Amino acid sequence: MFLPILFIFSLLPFSHSAVQDFCVGDLALPDNPAGYPCKKPAKVTVNDFVFSALGVAGNTSNLIKAAVTPAFVAQFPGLNGLGLSLARLDLAVDGVVPMHTHPGASEVLFVLEGTICAGFISSANAVYFKQLSKGDIMIFPQGLLHFQINSGKGVAIAIVSFSSPNPGLQITDFALFGNNLPTELVVKTTFLDEAQVKKLKGVLGGTG
């Protein structure tokens, strides 16, 4: 009676956490789709499980007037294999995180200070956006285009959580205009005129 049940459980996938407490990433070794190899237990210290950089404001003196301070596995190796990560978002007045996606994770944004207009677009092109205030939380499902804008009169700060230690990032504006994709192809695929495309390439560092 119990043998079929045991057999079924033997076929189920289990993470490393089912057989060991943790797998602190050894950043000296190359990563792979499953993450970094585990650091030898004798070399693990409490500092592998502590990260302090999110208490420091990011530098928002840039084009988008925003800064993201990541606590991903590359900065915080204790996250390796645990399926989560964090980041701090600082938005100066008029700061914006342009349309972007995280191909590897869903996101939860928690507003600590200020007012943020945030939203996402579904794969059916339905738009969901809202003005968020201190204490509000918003979810952005994995892979969907989303944005954050400081819609208040002072600085805005948020903490972001991801469902992966390495969520990935692609900013739409930079994907289109911040590389060497030929101008004529951008014109044909975006319906913008050539002058607009060249202007945006100039602003975002693109060529071609």
Side-chain angles (χ1 to χ4, degrees):
M1 175 179 179
F2 294 104
L3 288 178
I5 296 175
L6 292 174
F7 176 72
I8 291 172
F9 275 100
S10 71
L11 296 178
L12 294 175
F14 289 93
S15 71
H16 69 78
S17 61
V19 294
Q20 62 190 75
D21 293 332
F22 49 78
C23 175
V24 173
D26 187 341
L27 304 185
L29 298 175
D31 65 340
N32 59 63
Y36 285 90
C38 301
K39 183 185 287 189
K40 292 181 180 180
K43 294 185 176 181
V44 173
T45 73
V46 67
N47 291 329
D48 290 313
F49 304 101
V50 177
F51 188 77
S52 302
L54 299 192
V56 180
N59 182 4
T60 57
S61 299
N62 52 56
L63 177 66
I64 61 175
K65 299 181 181 180
V68 176
T69 304
F72 301 161
V73 67
Q75 297 82 29
F76 192 8
L79 292 172
N80 191 54
L82 298 182
L84 58 94
S85 59
L86 295 160
R88 171 180 172 141
L89 172 61
D90 289 277
L91 292 166
V93 175
D94 297 326
V96 57
V97 180
M99 283 286 184
H100 63 285
T101 66
H102 301 290
S106 295
E107 173 182 342
V108 179
L109 179 140
F110 173 52
V111 181
L112 293 178
E113 182 178 336
T115 305
I116 297 174
C117 177
F120 66 89
I121 303 172
S122 76
S123 57
N125 290 324
V127 179
Y128 303 88
F129 73 96
K130 189 176 180 66
Q131 298 283 346
L132 305 176
S133 301
K134 180 178 179 180
D136 287 341
I137 294 173
M138 187 168 185
I139 296 170
F140 307 94
Q142 180 174 342
L144 297 185
L145 285 167
H146 59 286
F147 65 90
Q148 292 96 19
I149 301 171
N150 184 345
S151 53
K153 296 181 179 180
V155 299
I157 303 171
I159 293 295
V160 183
S161 176
F162 297 96
S163 61
S164 166
N166 189 17
L169 170 67
Q170 185 173 42
I171 299 177
T172 307
D173 293 337
F174 286 92
L176 288 171
F177 309 110
N179 53 38
N180 63 351
L181 185 64
T183 294
E184 59 268 25
L185 293 181
V186 181
V187 169
K188 286 185 178 295
T189 56
T190 62
F191 306 108
L192 297 172
D193 63 46
E194 184 175 339
Q196 290 174 311
V197 171
K198 288 184 175 180
K199 177 182 178 181
L200 289 167
K201 278 179 171 286
V203 171
L204 299 176
T207 60

